[in-house]
Each structure stands twice: as C-alpha cells, then as structure tokens.
Amino acid sequence: MTTEPTHLADLTATRLTAGYAAGEFSPVEATRAVLERAEAAQARTNSFTRIDADEALSAAKESAERWRAGEPAGPVDGVPVTVKDLLLTRGAPTLRGSRTVRAEGRAWDEDAPSVARLRESGAVFVGKTTTPEFGWKGVTDSPRHGVTGNPYDAGRTAGGSSGGSAAAVALGAGPLSLGTDGGGSVRIPASFCGIFALKATYGRVPLYPASPFGTLANVGPMTRDAADAALMMDVITAPDWRDWSQLGPAAGSFREALAGPVSGLRVAYSPSLGWDVPVAPEVAAAVRSAVDTLAGLGAYIEEIDPGIEDPVEAFHTLWFSGAARVVQHLGDAERELLDPGLREICEQGARYSALDYLAAMDTRMALGRLMGRFHSAYDLLVTPTEPITAFEAGAEVPAGSGHTRWTGWTPFTYPFNLTQQPAATLPCGVDGDGLPIGVQLIGARHADALVLRAAHALYEAGAAEIPAPPAAQD
C-alpha cells in the first residue's frame, strides 16, 4: 500500500468523499486545490481546452452545503471531474479539436449521458480536456488546440485520444475524468501517463450522440486507481433512453465487487498475442512482474496466446469509414482545415464499399467468437498495454518505427474494441527514462466487475506503484 498523499489535489475520489463526510475538509477546499493544479497542468502539458473555475467553485459551494446537511446528492458529490472535449457538457461548447466546429450559434444546453449522471450525483466539473480532431488517432494533438504533452516529460506524447484527460488526472487536476475509447483511446494515454483506465463492455456506459465510429466507440473512466473507476462506474452506467444500444442495468455495485477474491482465477498471459510484436524489454519485464503478482495472489497463470490473427485491416475499414462519415458534410474549404492525417484516412474510408464494410464485420464477428471460446477457459487475458512507452509529442508514430498509422504501434488495444470486451490498463513500472509502463487486463464480455477486481488487487498488492510525475506546480 502507498503512503497517503497530503495535498488535497492528490487524493482519490474515494478519499475525498470520506473526508467530506468526516468534516476533515470541504469540496470548496478540494476544488480550489484542483483548480490550481489544472492551471499548472495546462501550462505544462496543454491538457485543457477550457477551465471553468467560477462554475466549479459555485458547484463546490453547493456540494459543501449538502455535505453539511448530511445529504450528499450521490457517491461523487463534490468530487472534481474533467470531461474529454468529445462529450456534450451543458454550458460549455464541445469543439472536438476541430476548426470546423463552430462554438457560436448553439445553446450547448445538453449533457451526454455519462456527464448527466455525474452532474446528478453532485460532481464538480473543472473543465474540458484535449482530444485529437474528432478523436481519430492514438496521440493528442489537433489543429484547434495544438499538442498535449506527457506529465512525465512534456516533450513526449500523452497518448490519445484521451491524452488531455490522462495528463490532467496524473497531474492532480481532478481525480476523475471521462474519456472515450475507440481503439484504445483511454488505455493508450493512461498507459503513457501512469494512471488507470477502463474500456467497459460495449453498451455498459450509455453514449449519446451515437459515435460515427459505431460500436467501436466507448465512454470510460480515467482515474488514479481501480477503486475510483468502480466508483465512477456505479454512477455513469445508469440507463439513459437516448442510447438505444445500451445494456440493461448492471448486476450489482462495481465497488462492492472489488472485495471478491483473485485466488483461483484462470489467467492467460500473452506477451505478444502470438504476433511478431517487438515489445521493449523493460515493458516486457514490468508486465511479467505484474503477472507474477497475480500468481502470488493465488491466480493460476498460463503463458498462452489466444490464437487470433491481427485484425488491423478490418479495424481500418470500420474506423476509416467512420472518419469519412464524420466529415461527409464538410465542403472543400472546410476540409482544408482538417488534420492532414485525418483527411488522408477520410479519403481512404470514402473509397470502401458496403461489401468491404460487411467483410470487416465478418472478421469482427469471427474474432468475437474466438475470444468467447478463449474466455470459456480463461477468466482474464493479460498483455502489455503498449509495446513501448511515450515517444515524441506531436507525431502520430514513433520516429524510425516504419509505421504509417497509429494502429501500427497499438497492437494490444484495438482488437478488443472489435470484440467489445472490457479491458483495463494500470501502471506496472517505469522505463529507464522514468516513463510509465502499462499492463492490460482483458475479460470476457460483461465481466467488467471481474476486470476491476483484478486490477484493484494489483493496486492493493503495491504492483501499480510508480513515482508520481513532477509536481504540476513546480
């Protein structure tokens, strides 16, 4: 177990609400501390598109009154939260990192489902975080807001597409953040920034408006640890009629499920998914150490690959087609404003036929069946989150890698968006440059609580302890 932080901005949401209940400190004090960190994080990493200090403090004062009366609105009342700038947030424009989106002329009076549930529970909204244009890639830079840097080294990427959220959480600008995951887009930046993130089973967290990327896209919690993610899941998974593809209510509380045992779990450890993935030695060693910790907790470990082929072409067909749909309404002049890489994949996506799309869906369904059979024998699959650590900021791919698109260096994440399985990442070490390394835990569809339980056990065992990034205020 780690020593508890003393600065309010470094406390988990779980610890903050316990402190509010005990009268140790107030939501106003916590929010002021977080706002200071948010301004410093913005100066260091460019992780925000908007910081709403006045709104946050007003909400914090209302929360403080509820706590004084012993009537909190919900389990995250008074907790500072940030929201990725792809999700509708009442009172704030959602600009999606694009110069083609106009802030003026719209009321911006609607919350996305997950945002609405947090607001109803009393969360304090600090601001909106950066995204690549329309969330199209695995790093965070956009024509509208520039490059987001890594909290451990601002010259490195924070990953993406939820890089702003990951950097904000890592630097104490709010313990909870809402991100979106299309091909690893909460797990990639969480891995690079040393925090926790969960991509839930598709449909578990309601989403509106529907993503043009279809059922590849998810909303997920980005937090300091698995316990806070479970807390968030208990709030944001509540039903919302606007999402016709949402799942039914969860079977029980995700927080309560954390107490279940890890002993006896059947865990498959796959260092490279059976593909020729060049995993950095320091990454491989750190992930192996996390697997050893699971073994020490009583899990049965078998080193085995799931036997899947790389589905990147099918993913590209679905992803690039979705991107083409995003910009379909734009004229030639507006298209010139787009990120050049986005423009390229949109042009490629527009060339696919309906038969190409359906063939990609066939690949997707076959992959899902294969993983369903695999999980009949194994409760969890463990892999590296990424084969590398954070590289130069502002680049889609690492220099000299030979990759042309971000999917080239993210082979462990996008397959499980295709299969709609829950997958989490948590830190398991740092490399020689002090950059975080992530381990990925993948469960069968609907096994979100099990993934959170195993991740929580690793935190409790100290396997997720890494040095904090340089203090944002320094």
Side-chain angles (χ1 to χ4, degrees):
M1 298 287 290
T2 58
T3 301
E4 182 176 276
T6 56
H7 195 288
L8 286 177
D10 294 324
L11 298 183
T12 64
T14 303
R15 180 64 183 90
L16 283 175
T17 54
Y20 301 158
E24 297 175 49
F25 41 77
S26 76
V28 175
E29 292 172 293
T31 298
R32 284 180 176 147
V34 164
L35 285 169
E36 289 179 6
R37 288 287 185 88
E39 294 288 352
Q42 175 63 5
R44 174 177 292 189
T45 62
N46 186 35
S47 46
F48 283 88
T49 67
R50 176 188 182 95
I51 297 173
D52 295 311
D54 290 343
E55 179 185 337
L57 286 170
S58 176
K61 290 173 184 175
E62 293 175 2
S63 173
E65 289 299 322
R66 291 191 293 270
W67 280 105
R68 273 194 287 270
E71 299 176 349
V76 296
D77 200 342
V79 177
V81 176
T82 58
V83 178
K84 184 181 181 180
D85 197 30
L86 290 181
L87 294 167
L88 292 178
T89 306
R90 194 176 73 212
T94 300
L95 302 175
R96 306 175 191 273
S98 181
R99 292 181 290 176
T100 68
V101 177
R102 303 287 182 254
E104 62 278 1
R106 289 188 59 176
W108 304 109
D109 57 359
E110 188 172 20
D111 283 330
S114 51
V115 178
R117 300 295 87 76
L118 287 169
R119 194 184 299 277
E120 291 162 3
S121 187
V124 172
F125 292 97
V126 173
K128 303 202 77 173
T129 56
T130 51
T131 175
E133 193 164 24
F134 300 113
W136 80 271
K137 60 183 174 179
V139 294
T140 300
D141 58 75
S142 74
R144 185 156 199 153
H145 296 114
V147 178
T148 296
N150 189 290
Y152 285 81
D153 179 348
R156 310 284 187 112
T157 182
S161 61
S162 304
S165 288
V169 172
L171 289 170
L176 306 181
S177 191
L178 280 174
T180 62
D181 193 307
S185 310
V186 297
R187 287 160 291 150
I188 297 165
S191 176
F192 281 0
C193 295
I195 67 165
F196 182 84
L198 172 71
K199 178 192 77 70
T201 301
Y202 178 79
R204 176 52 60 207
V205 182
L207 175 62
Y208 172 84
S211 171
F213 296 103
T215 58
L216 293 174
N218 306 260
V219 177
M222 304 182 72
T223 61
R224 293 219 175 92
D225 61 19
D228 269 8
L231 173 72
M232 251 183 118
M233 287 287 286
D234 277 347
V235 175
I236 65 175
T237 56
D240 191 292
W241 61 265
R242 292 172 292 174
D243 183 356
W244 64 269
S245 65
Q246 66 186 311
L247 298 175
S253 166
F254 291 98
R255 283 174 292 170
E256 292 175 4
L258 296 179
V262 171
S263 177
L265 289 181
R266 303 162 299 169
V267 176
Y269 165 49
S270 179
S272 67
L273 289 179
W275 309 339
D276 187 21
V277 178
V279 178
E282 290 171 304
V283 171
V287 172
R288 175 76 249 189
S289 179
V291 171
D292 289 343
T293 300
L294 287 173
L297 294 171
Y300 298 108
I301 309 295
E302 182 178 353
E303 186 169 329
I304 186 172
D305 300 317
I308 62 177
E309 296 182 0
D310 187 352
V312 68
E313 293 305 322
F315 181 84
H316 282 171
T317 299
L318 301 175
W319 192 254
F320 296 175
S321 296
R325 176 63 175 161
V326 170
V327 305
Q328 187 178 23
H329 68 288
L330 299 179
D332 291 342
E334 288 179 304
R335 285 173 184 261
E336 288 301 314
L337 301 175
L338 296 173
D339 180 329
L342 174 59
R343 197 160 55 241
E344 288 175 10
I345 72 162
C346 290
E347 291 169 356
Q348 184 174 342
R351 292 193 292 269
Y352 291 126
S353 69
L355 290 177
D356 293 329
Y357 196 94
L358 291 172
M361 288 300 295
D362 285 343
T363 298
R364 181 180 196 179
M365 289 186 284
L367 181 64
R369 288 193 298 272
L370 189 152
M371 288 307 303
R373 183 172 65 245
F374 183 79
H375 280 289
S376 69
Y378 299 97
D379 299 302
L380 292 173
L381 170 63
V382 179
T383 74
T385 307
E386 299 304 332
I388 56 175
T389 53
F391 52 89
E392 178 186 2
E396 184 185 347
V397 301
S401 66
H403 301 307
T404 56
R405 292 269 82 100
W406 62 272
T407 44
W409 54 269
T410 62
F412 299 118
T413 55
Y414 60 78
F416 305 106
N417 288 69
L418 288 166
T419 59
Q420 303 187 349
Q421 296 173 241
T425 185
L426 63 154
C428 60
V430 295
D431 69 7
D433 294 325
L435 297 169
I437 295 167
V439 58
Q440 181 174 225
L441 309 181
I442 303 150
R445 290 180 74 242
H446 311 295
D448 308 80
L450 175 60
V451 170
L452 285 166
R453 185 206 314 170
H456 180 63
L458 286 170
Y459 275 97
E460 291 289 287
E465 293 180 14
I466 63 169
Q473 66 269 34
D474 289 347

